[in-house]
Amino acid sequence: VQLQASGGGLVQAGGSLRLSCAASGRTFSTYAKGWFRRAPGKEREFVAAISWNASTTYYADSVKGRFTISRDNAKNTVYLQMNSLKPEDTAVYYCAGGTKVTPVLRYYDYWGQGTQVTVSS
């Protein structure tokens, strides 16, 4: 049971990145998926979440209108399209899977290893 996040990197402010999170070892098509991030010296925080059938999405206020979460259940993959990136978006981004679509971290049972996103000013 693994979640593999990828797509992070270094980008200038105003740029875009797309993160991917692929599940292997077990189908997660019926699981809600979330993205969280941890900036240096801060707690892990919610970014976005999507229900198993993509009918429901949640976003943190800080990313609303700039980030879009989506999923492809046929590929067992969830995406986070990040546009208009800001230096304060710099963090390690983690994908997670759980049975409930929620911004609350403790409801997610499965976690990926994280991918670094660095936004330069």
Side-chain angles (χ1 to χ4, degrees), residues 68-95:
T68 302
I69 189 170
S70 62
R71 64 189 298 161
D72 184 340
N73 285 341
K75 297 182 178 179
N76 242 7
T77 301
V78 62
Y79 304 97
L80 185 68
Q81 178 66 44
M82 305 187 296
N83 299 328
S84 302
L85 282 161
K86 304 175 181 180
E88 51 264 44
D89 294 318
T90 295
V92 177
Y93 283 71
Y94 300 89
C95 61

Side-chain angles (χ1 to χ4, degrees), residues 3-121:
L3 296 176
Q4 182 73 35
S6 61
L10 174 64
V11 64
Q12 288 188 331
S16 298
L17 282 174
R18 189 177 81 155
L19 305 183
S20 299
C21 177
S24 62
R26 178 178 177 176
T27 179
F28 277 86
S29 61
T30 59
Y31 278 71
K33 300 287 174 47
W35 286 97
F36 293 78
R37 67 186 181 187
R38 175 178 282 166
K42 295 187 177 181
E43 297 289 324
R44 192 173 300 194
E45 66 175 5
F46 169 75
V47 176
I50 188 168
S51 60
W52 72 273
N53 61 356
S55 64
T56 302
T57 56
Y58 291 116
Y59 294 94
D61 288 343
S62 59
V63 308
K64 204 170 291 184
R66 300 188 297 122
F67 291 11
T68 302
I69 189 170
S70 62
R71 64 189 298 161
D72 184 340
N73 285 341
K75 297 182 178 179
N76 242 7
T77 301
V78 62
Y79 304 97
L80 185 68
Q81 178 66 44
M82 305 187 296
N83 299 328
S84 302
L85 282 161
K86 304 175 181 180
E88 51 264 44
D89 294 318
T90 295
V92 177
Y93 283 71
Y94 300 89
C95 61
T99 56
K100 182 176 180 178
V101 56
T102 173
V104 181
L105 184 149
R106 68 174 183 271
Y107 288 105
Y108 290 88
D109 302 311
Y110 303 99
W111 290 86
Q113 85 290 356
T115 184
Q116 176 71 47
V117 172
T118 303
V119 184
S120 63
S121 57

